[in-house]
Amino acid sequence: MNSARHQGSTEITNLILEAAARARAEIGDIDHKPAAARSAKWPIDCKIGPGLEGAIACESKVGYVNGTAGLLSYRGYDVFELCAYSTYEEVSYLLLHGHLPNPAQLVEYEKKLARYRHMNKTLRLLMSFPVEHMNAMAALRMGTIFMRQEFTYVDQEAAKPDLSDAISADEDSIGMETKPSGDKKAIYEFRKKKKKPRKVDSQLGDASGLEACYHLIAGVPTLTAAIARIRQGLMPYEPLNDLSHAGNLFYMMNGRRPTPIEERVLDVALILHADHGMNASTFASMVVASTLSDIYFSVGSGIAALNGPLHGGANERVLHTLREIGGPKQVRKWVKKALAEKLKIPGFGHRVYKTYDPRARVLGPLAQYHCLGCRAEIQNLINTAEVLEREVVSSLATEKQIFPNVDFYSGVVYTRLGIDPAMFTPLFAVSRVAGWTARVLEYMRNNRIFRPRALYTGKFDQEYKPLDER
Ligand code: ACO
């Protein structure tokens, strides 16, 4: 089943399949599909912890994560299979449309991506700002707003929200005065009547439609590569229409065509980061969309949320840690000290995964394979990472279920691809824009504005004193 596009990187397909086999052997034959993989009868009960932990905010068919078994699937397809046989183009189409494209659909989609990758007006606007002095994620967020301007031209009629969707814009289903009581605190009232699905297959210029999603999936890589170049004092490269999505990203960042291995490694990394449940940046995008703001503003919020070190920024920290450790021989002593100081070692642990993160299972062998025989500095990074993984897993896996997460090896993978650490988080956004847009589109088909409550623990009956008496 090896795709013609993967010829020249058969070893990579094999190592992904080996990682998948190892994962399956550890999981065993147990059926890990959720018992209720069907529509719920709203309102539903669920226990909610701080930070909405445990809260079910919506239904989704986009992706499934099982943190106990270490499973990740997009639209029902195992992420290992998608990495082994698919491409980012197919995967982003799958996430958006709910099915894999047939050959004609893929050609049509690739043509659109190729067209939207060219963003001369947006780049001209971007370059009129001091991007070289800006945080790369701030520049990327600004760039998505310029993309919106290019796409909608002006705030024309098509870009305006459909006000029939604006029902109950700012109401509380549960009054603020209602006290939470045990599990009951998690009961929400949801819209009972099924709304007519919103038309998403809209015209060019509709800033909340499918075409805008294509524009963002194609354009965020162009923006990211341009930001990387401008930060180095260089001019951005025009995309090449004969290169794939990953190939173009590599080319626009590095100024040369990738080898088949480099293209495939980047493609697999993009597939692995494309979607991951209701994580903070996805939720941020959905909250913004639910106000009937448009998909450019949504993606801008996703970028803002991803920027934080608790979310998208950990891979850069892994790289700094590996450099700080210095080499494989220093790992044991470093880990001992880190654990004694109760340090959170970057690239380990996960809120959802209590076993190996399936994405780390692929990225680890991918990094090892790609770093074979490369220059001493990178060789040292990967050797240090391998020993660090063994040490941390042997110290923390049994007691605390701490394993490597997606960020542990991605920094090494990107460094091997010649990418500057400051661009690691923007690269995450390049991939995740598929998940953000897919989930926003899905949610908008039956939109209801997000509106949780806060438990008021403040004072009452305060007496107002004039300014000069305070
Ligand atoms: N290194 C050492 N110990 C750890 C680590 C770690 N990386 N992560 C968790 N622990 C320990 C904690 O100290 C805690 O121990 P205790 O019970 O003795 O106090 C226990 O494991 C539980 O940790 P929490 O912080 O409560 O776990 P939580 O689920 O809240 O946090 C998180 C998950 C934020 C990812 C955490 O593991 C962490 O900070 N990891 C390092 C940063 C990182 O790699 N982030 C990327 C995550 S993947 C992503 O966002 C794409």
Side-chain angles (χ1 to χ4, degrees):
M1 203 181 4
N2 205 355
S3 148
R5 300 172 70 169
H6 294 161
Q7 273 162 19
S9 58
T10 317
E11 292 101 328
I12 293 181
T13 307
N14 291 341
L15 67 84
I16 295 165
L17 294 176
E18 282 160 21
R22 272 197 300 279
R24 283 191 199 112
E26 276 175 38
I27 296 165
D29 293 333
I30 310 156
D31 183 4
H32 288 282
K33 288 180 211 77
R38 70 186 104 86
S39 225
K41 255 191 144 192
W42 298 94
I44 57 170
D45 288 1
C46 52
K47 263 193 179 162
I48 302 177
L52 293 182
E53 184 175 2
I56 296 173
C58 62
E59 293 177 18
S60 177
K61 292 184 168 64
V62 175
Y64 173 65
V65 188
N66 181 325
T68 321
L71 296 176
L72 172 62
S73 60
Y74 303 156
R75 299 279 188 185
Y77 293 89
D78 190 313
V79 78
F80 289 121
E81 297 258 312
L82 293 172
C83 286
Y85 301 120
S86 183
T87 60
Y88 182 79
E89 287 87 325
E90 283 188 46
V91 167
S92 53
Y93 185 100
L94 169 72
L95 286 168
L96 279 176
H97 292 261
H99 60 88
L100 284 166
N102 65 28
Q105 289 164 334
L106 185 60
V107 167
E108 196 52 36
Y109 180 54
E110 286 176 341
K111 270 192 206 154
K112 288 201 168 176
L113 294 184
R115 173 150 61 89
Y116 285 139
R117 258 178 221 123
H118 294 268
M119 300 200 307
N120 298 345
K121 280 191 228 155
T122 300
L123 294 190
R124 222 175 36 234
L125 269 175
L126 189 75
M127 287 170 72
S128 62
F129 284 80
V131 169
E132 62 278 19
H133 301 305
M134 287 175 77
N135 167 299
M137 288 292 274
L140 186 61
R141 186 168 193 251
M142 184 173 76
T144 56
I145 300 307
F146 297 153
M147 281 180 72
R148 178 180 190 274
Q149 199 62 23
E150 181 166 344
F151 191 69
T152 59
Y153 310 117
V154 282
D155 274 322
Q156 56 177 260
E157 209 48 43
K160 286 190 185 144
D162 174 359
L163 280 182
S164 65
D165 280 349
I167 303 162
S168 64
D170 192 24
E171 70 182 30
D172 273 321
S173 301
I174 303 179
M176 288 296 287
E177 68 281 8
T178 314
K179 276 191 190 154
S181 57
D183 292 1
K184 291 274 186 295
K185 70 185 174 188
I187 295 183
Y188 287 86
E189 204 179 275
F190 282 75
R191 185 192 302 282
K192 293 194 182 84
K193 262 193 282 166
K194 270 243 181 279
K195 279 190 69 201
K196 256 188 28 214
R198 186 147 185 252
K199 196 171 160 254
V200 287
D201 221 345
S202 28
Q203 303 293 313
L204 176 80
D206 178 351
S208 52
L210 191 56
E211 208 64 31
C213 300
Y214 296 162
H215 185 217
L216 282 156
I217 288 171
V220 171
T222 303
L223 278 178
T224 298
I227 292 164
R229 299 273 306 162
I230 298 167
R231 285 171 64 88
Q232 298 170 61
L234 302 165
M235 289 296 283
Y237 280 104
E238 277 273 314
L240 297 177
N241 288 350
D242 64 326
L243 282 177
S244 69
H245 195 73
N248 252 309
L249 176 61
F250 182 97
Y251 168 76
M252 290 188 287
M253 291 192 92
N254 291 315
R256 68 168 172 84
R257 284 170 176 270
T259 64
I261 302 291
E262 288 167 331
E263 184 177 7
R264 182 78 195 283
V265 167
L266 187 53
D267 195 37
V268 171
L270 290 178
I271 293 173
L272 287 171
H273 288 85
D275 182 63
H276 204 249
M278 292 289 281
N279 58 82
S281 58
T282 300
F283 187 51
S285 307
M286 291 171 66
V287 170
V288 169
S290 81
T291 69
L292 299 185
S293 191
D294 67 44
I295 208 135
Y296 292 85
F297 287 124
S298 286
V299 165
S301 332
I303 291 169
L306 190 68
N307 181 48
L310 288 186
H311 190 11
N315 52 12
E316 197 179 332
R317 289 177 175 219
V318 173
L319 203 75
H320 297 315
T321 302
L322 295 176
R323 287 189 171 140
E324 179 196 313
I325 294 173
K329 289 196 181 127
Q330 287 89 294
V331 168
R332 184 162 286 181
K333 195 170 152 210
W334 188 92
V335 170
K336 215 171 151 197
K337 187 165 173 276
L339 295 183
E341 289 171 2
K342 296 204 168 301
L343 197 90
K344 293 258 181 81
I345 304 170
F348 289 91
H350 198 277
R351 172 59 60 81
V352 177
Y353 292 115
K354 297 305 164 204
T355 179
Y356 258 93
D357 180 334
R359 303 165 298 175
R361 281 190 193 271
V362 173
L363 285 172
L366 201 64
Q368 283 151 13
Y369 170 77
H370 199 206
C371 291
L372 265 180
C374 66
R375 66 188 153 90
E377 190 218 333
I378 294 180
Q379 196 68 61
N380 191 48
L381 282 179
I382 187 70
N383 292 344
T384 309
E386 276 176 55
V387 182
L388 182 59
E389 175 182 347
R390 274 205 302 276
E391 279 294 321
V392 175
V393 169
S394 69
S395 310
L396 297 177
T398 316
E399 191 196 338
K400 294 186 180 172
Q401 289 87 50
I402 301 287
F403 294 89
N405 60 46
V406 65
D407 285 327
F408 186 59
Y409 282 106
S410 61
V412 180
V413 168
Y414 297 148
T415 303
R416 176 69 179 96
L417 291 169
I419 295 163
D420 181 68
M423 299 311 297
F424 291 176
T425 316
L427 267 193
F428 199 147
V430 162
S431 167
R432 186 57 60 83
V433 68
W436 291 333
T437 51
R439 284 182 187 261
V440 163
L441 272 195
E442 179 187 57
Y443 190 74
M444 295 313 288
R445 291 194 174 104
N446 200 9
N447 180 47
R448 190 158 202 233
I449 191 168
F450 282 105
R451 182 64 163 88
R453 297 188 302 153
L455 180 65
Y456 181 70
T457 57
K459 296 175 183 170
F460 287 102
D461 303 327
Q462 290 282 89
E463 191 190 336
Y464 182 85
K465 282 193 179 140
L467 190 58
D468 56 1
E469 288 177 28
R470 283 175 229 158

